Every structure is written in C-alpha cells, then in structure tokens.
Amino acid sequence: MRKISFLLILMIAGVVLAAGCLDGSQVNKSVSNAQDKDILSDEPGDITGDVIPLKGAKLIIEHNAKDEDTGFQGFIDSGGWSEITVTGPEGKILTLKGEGKLGEHGLTELFFETVEPANADVPIPEVLKVLPEGNYTVMGSAIEVGERQGTTMGTAWLTHNIPKGPVLLLPDEGATVSLDDLLFSWNPVTKTLDGSAVNIISYQLIIEKGETPHKHMIGKRGLSMYLPASVTQIRVPTEFFEPNTNYEWEVLAIEESGNQALTSSNFSTGGVVGYNLSLEKKRAKVTSNYNPRINPDDFTIKIDNPYFSLPIGKKMVYEAQTEDGLERIEILVPGWTKEIMGVKTLVFWDRVYLDGELIEDTRDYLAQHKETGDVWYFGEHVDNYEGGKLIDHHGAWFAGVDGAKAGKWVLANPKVGNYFLNEYLIGEAEDESLVVGVGETVTTPYGTFTDCVKYLDGSPLFPQKAYTYHCKDEKVRNTVAEIELDENMDVYQEVELVSVDLTGALGIHLPQQYANEGVKN
C-alpha cells in the first residue's frame, strides 16, 4: 500500500507550518530532534489566560470530479494569533507558528490546502485515513499587535460525506456561444460518492476568463456566487462577457458539513451578435420615453468626476497608428464656456491630426451634475477638414435644437450593466455606452493604470464599436485608451494616451470663429 506522506515544515512569510506523516491512521513520530518531537506531540497545548473563541474554524474535503483527485482544506479566522495547533481524534495533525515581525504582530485569517493526489494513485479511502471523522480542536496563543491576549480556541467538524460532482449541462464543453444572457445549468446532486443520500446546502458558480492573471492579482478576473440548493440554473448578463474570449467555469456542490465536489468546463464567446441584441433591448427601453429634465442649477463646469477630471489648463495627447498614417489627438481644456439650454458648459477642445495635418476640430460641451457627479454632454461643434480645407460640419448637434437631447459622457459610480445615451438626435447622433468592466488594468505609453472602467461605446447608426477605458489614477483621471472594433468586434485600431500636461492649455487665445459660435473666454 502506498504511504500518503504529509510531513512538511515550510517557512512562508514568517509562518512555520508543521504537519504529521500518516500511514493509514498512525502518526509517524520518527522526528530527528527534540524540537520537532515537541511540535508533533499528540497532546493539545495548555490553556493560558482568557479563552477567546475563534471567529471561524473549518476543515473540509474537496473532491474534483473532473480531474479525479481529492484533498483537504482548512480555514481559521481569529482576532489574532501567533501559534495554532489542530488536534483531532488521533492526535495533533498540524501546528502553525508565526515568526518574525508578522508573527509578533499577530495573524488573523488563514486558508490552507493539502496536496490532492490523483484517485488512481491514492484511492479515496486511503486519503480519508489521513484525517478520521470527528471534531478537531483548533487552539493557540492569542496575540494582537504584539501583546499576548490569552488562548484562542475553536472546533472544526469533519465528516467523510463527499458529494458527487455536479453534471454540467450548459454551456457545452468547448462550445462557442452567443452573448445573449448566457444560461448556466447543471443537474442537482443528490448522492455522495458512496451512493448515500446527501444534503446539499449550496452551489457555488465560478466563471473566469481563460487568461494569466495580472502579476499583482491573486486570482483571475471573473465572478463567484453562492446559490441556494434549489437553484441549478442561472442566466449571466451579456455585459459580464467579452466577445471572442475563452472562459473557464465550474460548479461546486457543498454538503452540510462543508465538504464539496466540483466539476469544471470551458467555453468561448462568439462575436458581436449577443452584444447587439443586448444593446437593442436596453436602447429600446431607454429611448421609449427618453426626455431628461435639465435644470441649469443642477450643473457645474467644475468637472472633477473620479474617472474624468477636467481642471482648467489640462492638455492630453493620444496617438494611434492607422492604415493612413499616424493619428494624433490633442485634447485641451482652456477654460472656455458656452451656454446651452441655460446650462453653462465647459469646452472640451478636441483636434485630430493625420501625419501632422488637421482633419477634425471639435468643441464638445460638457458639464457635471452637482449631485450625482456624472458628466453630461450637451452638444458639439464639428469642423471636418480635407487637404487643409474645411469640407463640412457633419456630426454637429446641440441639446434643445431640432429635438436633440443631452446625454451622459461618463458616470461617477459605474456598475457593470449600466447603459446610457451619450447624445440623442434620431438619425444624426445616437451614441451609447454600456459598462462592461470595472477594476480593469490598462497599459499605455504613458503608464499602467488600475481601477479603470471599461465601456463599450457604439451607435445604432454605425456597425463599428469601441472599448473605452476611463481610469481613477490621480495622475490622469481621464480616458487612457480606446480600442476600436470593426463590425465583427475585432480590433482594428488602438488609441492610447501618450502625455498629460496640467498647464498645457493655459493662456490659449479664443479664436474669433469660436466666439461667433457663442463660446466665451
């Protein structure tokens, strides 16, 4: 019979972990020195001082039905400890000792997981002999910010009731699916691995992007939710997913003692169809009675939205390599204003150059709602150029003129699934935005930014769309990138922030043309 060996002493971030080596139900005490013999003794430690109950103590079995392996997991939560010993029906199984500065400071939560041998190599009955059923005492020295507090203590209950893994139904493994509110479903679990009835108390659904996580993130981007045992299917909104992306998902069946079994699968998303269906539904709901009430007293030109800040004098430069050459976009905030519908708006001056030649000159008119912090969009003047000559003003619109209505530019408190109109003039200006991500990380030539909101921007008037990232980072607090997509949601162009100058737009002379349009210095 193969021995299941769990003897390890590890030093991790100032924590020493020691566990026994078990062959069947016997603790192997062949330890080479007196210190290790003391660590691995069968008797719990002495209770000293006040007894402080642990906030939580759990010891469970996890079985992976897909990979066919099985192991143990534990969780300890306290107000602070420097040393913890776990003792079961057959003696001490684990000692954790904090050393160094962190150990002296005091530790609180700890999750640990054993190796999970393949069932073909170590049959489940042999794994279960490592830890027999019963109550396990978790006890140790309580400490908080270096001061001893007494003894912290709790009990973990372990059973050998291991549920069968859920049978996953939808999406099919390896399938390419549309994005129209995906349905995830699985069969209910009613039996343990040995065929006994089981009481499932919850299912956990986990969906993650099939990607290598950011080096400073513990896990992958995704979602995790605990569902009642009566729920074996759920629809996940389109906004959670990205097109043409691989995803991994799993369902864990959790029985009443905490033991769990999981089954995993994978799928990929298709192209634009799902997003278009979702946008159509949201658009129809919003536009059916879209008539925002505009009270001039509710707005200010002090735009300090956490994701879109426009202090007077700010200049931002973006660049994109296009099929036609290098596109350079200069955004300036000179402090000019214009009144629209009685609202004093701030001029957001946007000039686009292609290989150094001006091709578009736009004055967007923005104001921030004092209560919500959302930035609103009240219209734009547009001058389009070709060969150095003005050719038209296509794209211009103004709230309150010819039925045009103001919309939102950026939200102050975005949540995935938020949908809004940027502008609304039927057949002329129907840009829209959908929040598809929060907490995103983006890297541009100007730097790497975290805590970014990802919008899907588009219009029913054009097949192309774009992912736009607005970031909270103090040195920018604005748009840092725009990933432009073709009608199939494939990337064809990336516009990236290359510089920010907080004084670059100060002292700019107001052109007479703009003054004639009602812009004031």
Side-chain angles (χ1 to χ4, degrees):
M1 180 64 65
R2 175 173 172 173
K3 180 185 293 185
I4 310 168
S5 181
F6 284 94
L7 177 59
L8 66 149
I9 300 177
L10 301 176
M11 181 69 87
I12 304 175
V15 180
V16 174
L17 299 90
C21 173
L22 294 92
D23 183 6
S25 62
Q26 299 301 313
V27 177
N28 184 340
K29 298 175 184 172
S30 313
V31 187
S32 61
N33 58 62
Q35 181 182 5
D36 287 344
K37 287 180 181 177
D38 179 64
I39 290 175
L40 295 174
S41 66
D42 288 332
E43 299 302 322
D46 294 331
I47 296 176
T48 59
D50 295 334
V51 174
I52 303 171
L54 287 170
K55 295 179 181 179
K58 296 179 176 63
L59 189 59
I60 69 167
I61 301 167
E62 180 176 270
H63 174 67
N64 188 321
K66 177 73 174 292
D67 296 343
E68 297 185 331
D69 57 43
T70 309
F72 298 96
Q73 295 180 356
F75 174 74
I76 298 169
D77 186 13
S78 80
W81 57 269
S82 61
E83 183 173 351
I84 287 286
T85 297
V86 183
T87 305
E90 297 181 349
K92 187 178 296 185
I93 65 163
L94 182 65
T95 294
L96 305 114
K97 185 176 182 181
E99 294 186 346
K101 291 184 178 180
L102 288 181
E104 294 170 0
H105 188 75
L107 306 171
T108 55
E109 292 188 5
L110 176 73
F111 170 82
F112 60 87
E113 186 173 14
T114 70
V115 294
E116 299 171 338
N119 300 153
D121 295 334
V122 182
I124 293 176
E126 293 302 312
V127 174
L128 299 183
K129 289 180 182 179
V130 173
L131 296 182
E133 290 185 302
N135 286 325
Y136 285 72
T137 300
V138 183
M139 186 170 67
S141 302
I143 189 172
E144 186 173 345
V145 196
E147 294 188 9
R148 301 287 176 178
Q149 304 293 318
T151 299
T152 187
M153 192 171 181
T155 301
W157 175 44
L158 177 69
T159 76
H160 288 174
N161 300 326
I162 308 174
K164 288 186 175 180
V167 175
L168 305 185
L169 302 177
L170 291 172
D172 292 330
E173 184 161 16
T176 298
V177 299
S178 69
L179 290 171
D180 191 20
D181 292 352
L182 276 178
L183 178 66
F184 290 81
S185 65
W186 55 93
N187 280 336
V189 176
T190 59
K191 301 289 184 181
T192 62
L193 290 179
D194 63 9
S196 302
V198 68
N199 180 22
I200 298 299
I201 59 172
S202 182
Y203 293 103
Q204 182 184 9
L205 171 64
I206 300 173
I207 307 171
E208 298 178 329
K209 287 184 69 173
E211 63 179 6
T212 301
H214 187 277
K215 63 181 180 180
H216 297 308
M217 288 177 60
I218 293 176
K220 297 180 180 179
R221 288 182 290 177
L223 66 78
S224 172
M225 63 179 79
Y226 287 91
L227 303 166
S230 59
V231 175
T232 56
Q233 67 175 35
I234 187 169
R235 288 192 179 276
V236 178
T238 300
E239 295 80 14
F240 172 76
F241 301 100
E242 296 180 16
N244 303 315
T245 301
N246 296 323
Y247 288 90
E248 301 160 351
W249 70 292
E250 62 186 51
V251 176
L252 294 87
I254 306 168
E255 59 87 45
E256 60 185 339
S257 72
N259 293 337
Q260 57 194 31
L262 68 92
T263 307
S264 59
S265 186
N266 62 83
F267 65 93
S268 60
T269 54
V272 69
V273 176
Y275 267 140
N276 281 342
L277 289 173
S278 178
L279 287 171
E280 286 173 10
K281 292 176 183 177
K282 294 178 181 293
R283 184 186 309 122
K285 183 177 180 180
V286 170
T287 58
S288 62
N289 58 355
Y290 186 70
N291 190 29
R293 297 180 62 182
I294 303 299
N295 179 354
D297 292 336
D298 292 339
F299 294 89
T300 176
I301 61 169
K302 182 183 178 181
I303 298 179
D304 57 4
N305 180 291
Y307 298 96
F308 194 79
S309 175
L310 298 179
I312 305 304
K314 190 173 190 177
K315 176 182 178 180
M316 295 168 289
V317 177
Y318 302 81
E319 289 184 351
Q321 191 62 53
T322 73
E323 293 180 351
D324 300 321
L326 179 64
E327 187 173 280
R328 179 180 174 88
I329 302 167
E330 293 185 358
I331 305 292
L332 300 106
V333 187
W336 306 335
T337 63
K338 177 178 171 63
E339 188 173 298
I340 300 177
M341 294 186 69
V343 177
K344 187 177 183 180
T345 68
L346 185 67
V347 177
F348 184 76
W349 192 13
D350 179 346
R351 294 187 294 178
V352 183
Y353 298 85
L354 182 62
D355 288 337
E357 181 180 300
L358 181 67
I359 60 173
E360 184 178 330
D361 184 338
T362 302
R363 282 79 68 202
D364 297 305
Y365 303 113
L366 309 178
Q368 182 169 300
H369 195 280
K370 295 177 182 177
E371 182 177 346
T372 67
D374 297 338
V375 177
W376 280 70
Y377 187 24
F378 286 86
E380 61 179 326
H381 274 106
V382 181
D383 299 330
N384 297 306
Y385 292 86
E386 189 174 300
K389 296 181 179 179
L390 176 65
I391 56 173
D392 60 42
H393 303 286
H394 181 70
W397 68 280
F398 307 95
V401 177
D402 297 329
K405 298 173 183 178
K408 294 179 181 179
W409 186 281
V410 174
L411 303 181
N413 296 290
K415 307 245 180 338
V416 171
N418 288 158
Y419 168 88
F420 55 93
L421 296 173
N422 309 129
E423 54 189 17
Y424 196 57
L425 177 58
I426 297 177
E428 292 290 334
E430 299 184 41
D431 288 1
E432 59 192 358
S433 292
L434 177 69
V435 180
V436 296
V438 295
E440 300 271 341
T441 297
V442 184
T443 297
T444 78
Y446 189 61
T448 296
F449 307 96
T450 58
D451 201 2
C452 301
V453 177
K454 181 180 181 180
Y455 289 91
L456 176 67
D457 296 332
S459 168
L461 304 179
F462 308 101
Q464 297 83 7
K465 291 178 173 56
Y467 288 128
T468 305
Y469 295 86
H470 301 273
C471 303
K472 258 187 176 180
D473 192 292
E474 282 299 322
K475 70 178 183 179
V476 56
R477 287 180 66 187
N478 215 286
T479 311
V480 301
E482 182 177 277
I483 312 301
E484 299 183 0
L485 312 169
D486 63 20
E487 60 271 18
N488 297 316
M489 297 290 283
D490 293 325
V491 176
Y492 74 87
Q493 185 170 301
E494 298 185 13
V495 182
E496 298 177 313
L497 179 67
V498 297
S499 70
V500 176
D501 183 350
L502 294 180
T503 61
L506 291 177
I508 296 178
H509 174 72
L510 175 66
Q512 186 60 46
Q513 173 195 341
Y514 304 164
N516 294 341
E517 296 167 348
V519 175
K520 296 181 179 179
N521 202 339

